[in-house]
Amino acid sequence: MNITGKVVAVNAEARYVVVDNKTIYFRGTWLDVHTNKTLTDAEAVGLIRPGETIIAVCKVTGSGRLMAEKIIVNDTLVLEKSE
């Protein structure tokens, strides 16, 4: 499932962002594609700011949660789940 929109909330501690009333969770290890730097899920969420436009590629868990697999922020930052 792809979700595109403006980020309205960011919670690095709980590791999620909210886009168009949809909560997108970050879990596991992430890779910043441009710098080749490995990030924790909290660090990856911490790079995103409210008001930024993102494209989120997500999978839906059995409980209905949206889990991020790839995030593109303002066409400049690309984060991919690495685990």
Side-chain angles (χ1 to χ4, degrees), residues 7-74:
V7 176
V8 294
V10 176
N11 188 323
E13 185 176 305
R15 301 166 301 177
Y16 69 79
V17 299
V18 179
V19 176
D20 296 333
N21 293 323
K22 293 179 176 73
T23 303
I24 302 168
Y25 295 90
F26 287 61
R27 297 295 184 262
T29 305
W30 289 80
L31 177 68
D32 181 330
V33 172
H34 294 299
T35 65
N36 207 32
K37 181 178 178 184
T38 301
L39 306 166
T40 66
D41 43 16
E43 290 171 330
V45 172
L47 294 175
I48 302 169
R49 303 282 177 256
E52 292 181 315
T53 299
I54 71 168
I55 300 168
V57 178
C58 305
K59 68 177 182 178
V60 181
T61 67
S63 63
R65 283 188 170 191
L66 295 171
M67 300 302 255
E69 295 288 315
K70 181 176 182 177
I71 301 289
I72 302 170
V73 183
N74 293 333

